[in-house]
Amino acid sequence: MNNPKVKELLEARNLPQLLQFQDGSPVASAEDWNQRREEILSILSHEVYGERIPDPLSLVVEVNESNDNSYAAKVLEEHLTLTAGLKQGSFSFPFHFFKPKNVVNPMTIVYVAFRSDLPDRYLPIEEITDEGIAVAIFNYDDVVPDKEDDFTKGLAKLLYTDGKRESTDPGKIMMWAWAASRVMDYLKTRDDIDHDNIGVMGHSRLGKTALVAAAYDQRFTFCFPNNSGCSGDAITRDKEGERVEPITRVFPYWFCLNYSKYANKEEEMPFDQHFLIGAIAPRFVSGGAAVEDTWADPNSQFLGYAAASEAYKLLGLKGLVHSDRLPEIGDTFHEGSLGYHLRSGSHFHSRYDWLRYIEFMKKHRR
Ligand code: GTR
């Protein structure tokens, strides 16, 4: 195929049907879609990310430090601690909130961060707030450590009280996503931000996390997975770079135990990643890819959005509006409810990416 059309590229991947129930019957209406979404979430829980962690019974947030003269006195900066009461006990983690002072009811992004640095090389706080966007940040490591520790630390320690992990028990991506929803719980209690336009964002493994958070929590109007790749926004079947075998070998604790059974058997998966993106419909998702990030595979990421578009079309929305070819550097497809951009360079959460996501959010504000 010299210049294959996107439809042909998708057909060649032989994907499971998004708009077909598991019993083979068609998904033909918005009402059907609600049911199908539930079915998809249960497949993804069972096969990939593990069961959703229940909402807490209680939530207490303490402000430890507040400064409304940050960043040249343009920004309100707060450092907080969130304590969630679960049936197994209570769990606390720190988070941070930055809000532009000169904007009434700003849109807000929940950012799942790799580090506690504020700002961070992935997180240009001043530029974000100068764009009129508020940002709530937590370090994923404060929720559960990103390493093989037999689920003995952080939130995992509380959830796995009997020390035994069953095949569909949640992996750590699901735990980080749970924490993003707790920050959302808190944001809903603030009266100085726009509750209808809250997004969730992360890079790479935390881009996967952002997708899971938005798929399971409909309060997120926007999702921005940056360079999320394998087990994120990229179609896995016939993907370049990372696939189920390496990811479940190196990072088994990100997923439920069941996922590894598809190592080198991707054609047997009763899902592909367009299910995860599609589960966010009719809400907005815009992903970023980098041309040198062949481990994530920009073309397969693009096809993830193209394939998920079917759910949006069923609902009378534009999914990904794109050129009928594989993406090129500089492409930004922001017309529909699904977005995608491809930049030059390698795996990184760059300022270029941030500006694309913020443009998308402003364009589609509800
Ligand atoms: C890699 C992993 C990718 C991606 C990346 C990251 O080692 O294979 O799936 O998540 O880490 O999070 O930076």
Side-chain angles (χ1 to χ4, degrees):
M1 287 196 277
N2 280 339
N3 192 10
K5 303 276 193 222
V6 172
K7 193 165 168 277
E8 291 164 23
L9 289 162
L10 282 172
E11 279 166 8
R13 297 288 177 116
N14 218 354
L15 297 175
Q17 295 300 310
L18 193 56
L19 299 186
Q20 197 177 82
F21 287 105
Q22 292 314 99
D23 68 3
S25 58
V27 176
S29 65
E31 209 173 75
D32 285 353
W33 174 252
N34 290 335
Q35 273 183 48
R36 176 61 171 153
R37 177 177 169 270
E38 291 301 325
E39 190 174 63
I40 287 170
L41 292 178
S42 96
I43 294 169
L44 293 173
S45 277
H46 195 266
E47 308 295 334
V48 190
Y49 306 102
E51 303 297 342
R52 191 181 185 195
I53 301 158
D55 291 347
L57 307 167
S58 65
L59 193 91
V60 178
V61 173
E62 243 180 293
V63 183
N64 306 316
E65 214 183 305
S66 174
N67 174 5
D68 72 354
N69 273 307
S70 264
Y71 294 93
K74 296 178 292 184
V75 171
L76 165 70
E77 168 171 357
E78 292 181 352
H79 302 278
L80 312 100
T81 305
L82 186 155
T83 302
L86 290 94
K87 73 172 194 317
Q88 299 92 330
S90 68
F91 180 72
S92 297
F93 64 95
F95 72 105
H96 315 276
F97 180 70
F98 295 82
K99 184 181 102 79
K101 281 161 61 179
N102 65 349
V103 181
V104 179
N105 276 337
M107 299 193 283
T108 302
I109 292 170
V110 175
Y111 189 73
V112 191
F114 273 101
R115 293 166 290 270
S116 297
D117 300 349
L118 299 169
D120 177 83
R121 61 184 180 276
Y122 289 170
L123 182 62
I125 292 172
E126 186 176 3
E127 282 97 323
I128 297 163
T129 50
D130 278 351
E131 287 289 331
I133 306 289
V135 58
I137 302 149
F138 67 93
N139 177 350
Y140 78 144
D141 222 36
D142 289 328
V143 176
V144 67
D146 186 8
K147 57 176 173 235
E148 187 62 275
D149 56 7
D150 294 326
F151 291 83
T152 53
K153 303 262 165 23
L155 179 63
K157 183 178 179 192
L158 201 65
L159 297 178
Y160 289 102
T161 37
D162 60 1
K164 257 208 353 255
R165 199 153 97 95
E166 309 288 346
S167 55
T168 66
D169 281 343
K172 293 190 177 183
I173 287 176
M174 189 56 91
M175 297 184 198
W176 299 320
W178 177 88
S181 286
R182 304 296 63 86
V183 174
M184 168 61 99
D185 293 342
Y186 164 73
L187 291 174
K188 289 282 191 189
T189 69
R190 284 193 80 107
D191 57 10
D192 58 352
I193 61 164
D194 177 354
H195 290 181
D196 295 330
N197 289 284
I198 299 176
V200 57
M201 190 192 291
H203 168 65
S204 201
R205 65 199 69 183
L206 300 176
K208 310 181 212 301
T209 300
L211 282 162
V212 171
Y216 286 82
D217 187 341
Q218 293 182 291
R219 297 172 299 171
F220 288 110
T221 301
F222 292 92
C223 176
F224 301 109
N226 193 67
N227 300 184
S228 68
C230 182
S231 316
D233 60 5
I235 293 297
T236 313
R237 283 171 172 78
D238 293 333
K239 176 185 181 303
E240 300 290 319
E242 190 171 33
R243 303 264 284 262
V244 178
E245 193 283 318
I247 205 168
T248 55
R249 176 168 36 82
V250 182
F251 303 109
Y253 48 88
W254 286 355
F255 306 100
C256 74
L257 291 171
N258 268 347
Y259 193 33
S260 58
K261 73 183 184 209
Y262 298 110
N264 301 317
K265 289 189 193 142
E266 277 107 4
E267 68 289 349
E268 290 177 16
M269 302 190 307
F271 62 90
D272 207 310
Q273 294 309 115
H274 61 316
F275 280 35
L276 178 63
I277 301 171
I280 303 173
R283 293 165 293 132
F284 299 94
V285 190
S286 194
V291 77
E292 290 172 32
D293 190 5
T294 51
W295 191 237
D297 187 1
N299 289 340
S300 294
Q301 293 179 263
F302 167 76
L303 292 178
Y305 297 97
S309 292
E310 282 189 18
Y312 288 82
K313 289 185 185 149
L314 175 71
L315 302 173
L317 299 164
K318 293 178 196 161
L320 184 72
V321 179
H322 56 80
S323 309
D324 202 9
R325 54 160 170 75
L326 285 172
E328 291 171 4
I329 295 174
D331 275 344
T332 295
F333 302 135
H334 278 182
E335 193 48 43
S337 307
L338 292 176
Y340 172 94
H341 71 260
L342 179 63
R343 63 162 169 79
S344 58
S346 60
H347 192 69
F348 192 80
H349 198 164
S350 72
R351 281 155 169 75
Y352 180 92
D353 300 313
W354 270 99
L355 293 174
R356 298 294 79 73
Y357 299 133
I358 290 171
E359 274 166 17
F360 183 89
M361 207 176 182
K362 288 180 179 172
K363 183 181 172 83
H364 293 288
R365 186 174 193 163
R366 270 187 184 163

